[in-house]
Amino acid sequence: MITVKICVGTNCHLNGGYNVISSFQHMIEEYDLHDKVVLEASFCMRECSNSGAAVTVNDVKYRVDPERSRLFFKEKVLPLTIS
């Protein structure tokens, strides 16, 4: 199981955290990954910056802009689902 956490703390919320969640939810639906990917909202991950939202994929930290969230999912999450 792959765990993806998206920060919804104040800074990440203002930098598109909820849009990243929405995008990831659509990707999970699109690729039928309900049994492989757990998507969680998380409060402050202590990774605040002025661009994107903090995201972890199996505890590896990233910053994800909403505009690039689909590409991020395809590059970082999808490969982990292939078994």
Side-chain angles (χ1 to χ4, degrees):
M1 188 70 69
I2 299 148
T3 302
V4 178
K5 295 180 183 178
I6 300 98
C7 181
V8 293
T10 302
N11 190 57
C12 289
H13 170 70
L14 293 173
N15 284 303
Y18 282 101
N19 293 336
V20 173
I21 290 172
S22 178
S23 179
F24 287 1
Q25 286 173 327
H26 289 188
M27 297 292 287
I28 290 169
E29 286 286 329
E30 182 178 332
Y31 289 95
D32 193 26
L33 299 173
H34 299 286
D35 60 336
K36 294 185 178 185
V37 178
V38 173
L39 191 62
E40 299 178 359
S42 176
F43 286 102
C44 191
M45 295 178 169
R46 311 256 186 259
E47 293 293 322
C48 300
S49 82
N50 291 329
S51 86
V55 172
T56 63
V57 178
N58 290 339
D59 295 323
V60 178
K61 295 178 182 181
Y62 302 93
R63 297 292 308 182
V64 180
D65 291 316
E67 299 81 24
R68 299 186 44 81
S69 59
R70 288 185 62 84
L71 179 62
F72 174 87
F73 193 93
K74 287 179 181 177
E75 290 179 349
K76 300 295 183 183
V77 180
L78 272 181
L80 298 175
T81 66
I82 300 168
S83 38

